[in-house]
Amino acid sequence: MMGLIVLTGANFLLTLSATVLVVFFAPTAAGPGIPEIKAYLNGIDTPNMYGASTLFVKIIGSIGAVSAGLDLGKEGPLVHIGSCIASLLGQGGTDKHRVKWRWYRIMNNDRDRRDLITCGASSGVCAAFRSPVGGVLFALEEVATWWRSAILWRTFFSTAVVVVVLRAFIEFCSSGKCGLFGNGGLIMFDVSNVTVHYNMMDILGVALIGLIGGVLGSLYNYALHKVLRLYSLINERGKLAKILLSLTVSIFTSVCLYGLPFLVGCTKCDPSISKFECSTTGRTGNYKRFNCPKGYYNDLASLLFSTNDDAVRNIFSTNTPGEFHSVSLVIYFVLYCILGLFTFGIAVPSGLFLPIILIGSAYGRLLGIAMGSYTKIDRGLYAVLGAASLMAGSMRMTVSLCVIFLELTNNLLLLPVTMLVLLIAKSVGDCFNPSIYEIILELKGLPFLDANPEPWMRNISVAELADVKPPLISLRGLEKVSRIVDILRNTTHNGFPVIDDDVTVPSSEGTKARELHGLILRAHLVAVLKKKWFLNQPRKTEEWEVRQRFSWVELAERDLDFEQVAISKNEMEMYVDLHPFTNKTPYTVVEDMSVAKAMVLFRQVALRHLLIVPKYQGAGIYPVIGILTRQDLRAHNIQTVFPHIAKTKGREKQK
């Protein structure tokens, strides 16, 4: 009982410290952070995700949460930490304390910031798994929406630096100066001591692992979706509810970890293992004595009372057919399925990688035991394949996972069967539901645009979308200050078409018509108001006049707060020349274009606004029909305004 009280109390305090940091100082540090990174690289603004406070809380909170014995990993948070570091380096520090060097401002643009965050994410994966090539492929396959050859070598350079630094610290810590850091060297779960031989029966077993991984992965995603929806209702009750939820999960986890090993029997130590290695208490390692007499160990306690990395090494261990019993593995599998579902979503930094690896490796080793003499593949290798299958079934990644597992295990002979397992698991999982990250994106309400439009989008034109939207709000090239202020106060739009009236049509006999001059951003309107660049009479200004008052650095800032600007009544009646601040060549589509084509253009060019222009131009025809944003092109939003499409889609599924 004293052991239970000490364990539960220590885990309680560690969980409390991590939760308090997240709830009160950086709520965006909760969870893995990978869905938000994926959303940001897709073109979605994710506020407060990469600040200094988020970075600090993510680091300290991850240490507390992992040390508390919760069923979560540090891999997802490391990806977020890498992205935070990259973002802060790219912008020269925090919002309040930035480097003012002129040459540093060159990187103060959206594209370079996206590239840096991509490099940070790949570096985080490399640091978590000591997998440099896997980190590059993870960024390519999972998080990056727009990929260029320049990003390829930049991410590769970033991961190369990470692995060199890791290697240097591992060498420095080889004598045990740094605690548990450096165990296993650069290869975390080495199984290279086993020669892989397999026959047709083994291939059937491998295919069965992939099938089970796909089914279990989709079931895990479904159950986690339900749990996260429940947690969102609890978290809406306030900060105290978030803290109590985390502490409840911590107490439940501690009680399970301490009580369940009493259900299994003791195993006698192998005589070939020294007494100093077997039947240990009070330190990390295999063969925990727990409640057993000298010379015996508790195999379930050996898995539960070790670090997550050591637990994976234990299950992946080769040439140890009798080290873990089936009953212990079944209890371990069921326990970690339950803990994995109820731990993810509480207000602490948490990752999905390691819990899924532990669950998958448990059922993989169980299948290896069930195959018995029918297979030549070692049970430890079955555990590796089980972990890979469940990750592919839940996260739906293939290439990057394959390389990460090869770099984790250092056994290239596993390549063919690993590829087979990953492909089967992903294909089976895709038949049931989306990947876990797509589910989280949907729950968070982030408008992520998929690479491929829905087939029914070809039957809708962009003009039909414009018809169901609110009336278009546009500005004149020479606009009154009062109207600009009114629009900024009463709308949340970030872009406005700029229209010029009574423009002479070229090659005509004095025919007048309206002209689309371009698109102006909300941030530029705010900059004009803050500088009070007003005119007494409506007139077009010269370029040198604008350059005297505005620098490119000021126009690059995304400051949208203008409420503090005091504008007098006289200034409200003055005018602003918007022509110098307008993008004269915005992307446009003709009103007859299908929504499918417009969505592909919007995503591939990384647009924020897409103007719809009429098919025919002329006097009396307004030059802009509407403007499309990311929200307008989401399949769910389109089905909301066109209910008949959803009904047609449902009938097609029934057929």
Side-chain angles (χ1 to χ4, degrees):
M1 186 57 67
M2 182 56 68
L4 175 61
I5 292 172
V6 171
L7 176 70
T8 305
N11 291 346
F12 184 91
L13 292 176
L14 288 166
T15 305
L16 179 63
S17 63
T19 306
V20 167
L21 281 174
V22 169
V23 170
F24 288 100
F25 297 100
T28 53
I34 294 177
E36 290 84 354
I37 295 170
K38 187 174 179 179
Y40 179 81
L41 296 178
N42 189 254
I44 303 167
D45 186 23
T46 50
N48 305 319
M49 275 300 296
Y50 308 106
S53 59
T54 303
L55 174 62
F56 173 78
V57 171
K58 199 79 174 186
I59 294 173
I60 305 301
S62 296
I63 294 171
V66 174
S67 303
L70 298 173
D71 183 19
L72 44 83
K74 62 184 182 300
E75 292 74 22
L78 271 174
V79 176
H80 191 189
I81 289 168
S83 298
C84 288
I85 294 171
S87 176
L88 290 171
L89 289 175
Q91 67 184 19
T94 63
D95 292 334
K96 294 182 179 179
H97 307 284
R98 288 192 185 183
V99 173
K100 301 297 184 181
W101 300 328
R102 188 173 182 83
W103 62 270
Y104 210 90
R105 297 171 180 170
I106 297 174
M107 293 187 291
N108 190 19
N109 60 80
D110 292 335
R111 191 183 72 171
D112 284 337
R113 194 176 184 216
R114 281 200 306 264
D115 290 356
L116 283 168
I117 289 175
T118 305
C119 293
S122 62
S123 300
V125 174
C126 177
F129 296 108
R130 302 170 196 177
S131 171
V133 180
V136 175
L137 294 176
F138 175 84
L140 168 61
E141 183 177 9
E142 185 61 24
V143 297
T145 297
W146 303 286
W147 193 262
R148 313 190 315 276
S149 58
I151 304 179
L152 182 64
W153 72 261
R154 288 172 182 171
T155 52
F156 187 73
F157 174 78
S158 302
T159 56
V161 173
V162 171
V163 82
V164 168
V165 173
L166 273 176
R167 180 69 183 182
F169 275 101
I170 288 171
E171 290 295 329
F172 176 76
C173 299
S174 58
S175 60
K177 302 174 184 176
C178 312
L180 300 177
F181 176 75
N183 289 350
L186 276 180
I187 309 301
M188 293 181 69
F189 313 125
D190 195 349
V191 294
S192 60
N193 60 335
V194 180
T195 303
V196 183
H197 297 288
Y198 40 85
N199 51 33
M200 184 53 66
M201 181 59 73
D202 296 324
I203 297 298
L204 293 177
V206 168
L208 181 60
I209 287 181
L211 180 63
I212 295 173
V215 174
L216 284 180
S218 58
L219 282 174
Y220 189 84
N221 291 359
Y222 174 80
L224 190 60
H225 184 206
K226 299 300 182 183
V227 172
L228 291 176
R229 290 184 66 179
L230 173 64
Y231 279 8
S232 66
L233 296 176
I234 296 174
N235 292 334
E236 286 176 359
R237 296 181 177 272
K239 296 179 179 179
L240 182 61
K242 294 181 181 180
I243 295 174
L244 291 177
L245 177 62
S246 299
L247 296 179
T248 303
V249 171
S250 174
I251 294 172
F252 177 74
T253 301
S254 300
V255 172
C256 290
L257 293 180
Y258 196 83
L260 289 177
F262 287 100
L263 300 178
V264 301
C266 298
T267 305
K268 190 174 182 179
C269 291
D270 192 327
S272 62
I273 302 173
S274 69
K275 62 180 181 179
F276 297 105
E277 294 181 8
C278 188
S279 191
T280 63
T281 55
R283 60 185 176 87
T284 185
N286 297 351
Y287 311 110
K288 294 291 183 184
R289 181 178 171 186
F290 198 62
N291 61 329
C292 298
K294 286 186 178 181
Y296 290 80
Y297 70 94
N298 188 310
D299 59 343
L300 182 56
S302 300
L303 293 175
L304 297 178
F305 288 104
S306 59
T307 64
N308 286 338
D309 290 349
D310 281 337
V312 174
R313 290 190 188 97
N314 292 344
I315 302 182
F316 282 7
S317 60
T318 55
N319 299 319
T320 54
E323 185 174 342
F324 301 103
H325 299 99
S326 300
V327 175
S328 299
L329 289 172
V330 169
I331 295 174
Y332 186 82
F333 171 74
V334 174
L335 173 64
Y336 267 72
C337 282
I338 295 172
L339 293 182
L341 290 173
F342 287 100
T343 304
F344 188 82
I346 62 175
V348 296
S350 57
L352 280 169
F353 283 96
L354 213 55
I356 291 177
I357 288 176
L358 289 169
I359 297 169
S361 59
Y363 83 72
R365 195 168 184 104
L366 277 170
L367 186 60
I369 294 173
M371 293 289 289
S373 59
Y374 295 102
T375 179
K376 294 182 179 180
I377 299 179
D378 190 275
R379 294 175 183 180
L381 300 184
Y382 267 105
V384 174
L385 296 176
S389 69
L390 189 59
M391 288 193 74
S394 177
M395 299 183 178
R396 313 292 159 79
M397 294 185 290
T398 52
V399 180
S400 57
L401 276 184
C402 185
V403 174
I404 287 173
F405 269 89
L406 290 180
E407 292 181 302
L408 278 175
T409 58
N410 195 30
N411 196 331
L412 195 59
L413 296 174
L414 280 174
L415 177 61
V417 287
T418 304
M419 293 172 66
L420 179 63
V421 160
L422 292 173
L423 288 171
I424 293 175
K426 180 189 177 342
S427 302
V428 172
D430 283 337
C431 296
F432 297 100
N433 50 28
S435 73
I436 186 63
Y437 291 135
E438 291 178 16
I439 290 173
I440 296 172
L441 284 169
E442 180 186 351
L443 286 172
K444 288 181 176 290
L446 297 171
F448 188 86
L449 285 184
D450 292 318
N452 301 312
E454 298 288 343
W456 48 263
M457 288 184 177
R458 296 193 295 265
N459 303 324
I460 307 175
S461 68
V462 292
E464 293 177 85
L465 273 188
D467 289 340
V468 297
K469 290 189 63 177
L472 178 70
I473 297 176
S474 60
L475 294 166
R476 292 189 294 272
L478 297 171
E479 189 60 85
K480 261 193 171 184
V481 174
S482 58
R483 186 161 188 272
I484 296 175
V485 171
D486 182 63
I487 288 175
L488 291 179
R489 282 179 178 166
N490 297 317
T491 68
T492 58
H493 305 321
N494 279 294
F496 304 92
V498 176
I499 308 297
D500 280 335
D501 297 325
D502 298 330
V503 177
T504 303
V505 179
S507 66
S508 67
E509 298 179 359
T511 305
K512 301 284 187 178
R514 291 192 180 98
E515 177 192 58
L516 171 63
H517 185 76
L519 184 77
I520 189 167
L521 298 178
R522 185 185 191 92
H524 293 166
L525 292 175
V526 172
V528 168
L529 294 180
K530 285 191 171 183
K531 282 277 188 175
K532 296 196 174 183
W533 197 66
F534 305 148
L535 305 171
N536 291 319
Q537 297 297 327
R539 67 175 180 85
K540 285 192 175 183
T541 54
E542 301 294 334
E543 184 177 343
W544 62 267
E545 295 181 78
V546 181
R547 290 183 179 275
Q548 280 185 342
R549 294 291 300 274
F550 296 90
S551 66
W552 64 271
V553 176
E554 292 172 330
L555 294 178
E557 294 292 334
R558 293 292 182 261
D559 187 4
L560 302 179
D561 182 21
F562 76 100
E563 295 297 334
Q564 304 300 325
V565 181
I567 301 177
S568 64
K569 288 185 178 180
N570 292 334
E571 290 173 335
M572 284 287 193
E573 299 302 317
M574 299 175 78
Y575 294 86
V576 176
D577 181 15
L578 299 179
H579 295 97
F581 308 96
T582 303
N583 174 16
K584 297 180 181 179
T585 55
Y587 280 89
T588 61
V589 292
V590 182
E591 60 181 326
D592 289 344
M593 179 179 282
S594 68
V595 173
K597 283 186 178 181
M599 177 184 166
V600 171
L601 173 66
F602 193 97
R603 188 180 188 275
Q604 289 185 348
V605 189
L607 299 179
R608 192 173 185 180
H609 308 95
L610 187 61
L611 298 180
I612 306 172
V613 297
K615 186 175 181 180
Y616 302 102
Q617 304 284 344
I621 299 176
Y622 206 72
V624 183
I625 293 176
I627 183 168
L628 294 178
T629 62
R630 174 179 296 270
Q631 292 283 3
D632 301 319
L633 296 172
R634 292 190 68 204
H636 173 75
N637 295 343
I638 296 175
Q639 289 176 345
T640 303
V641 295
F642 294 104
H644 65 280
I645 293 177
K647 293 177 182 177
T648 305
K649 188 180 176 185
R651 285 196 296 269
E652 289 177 355
K653 282 188 176 181
Q654 291 174 1
K655 292 179 182 179

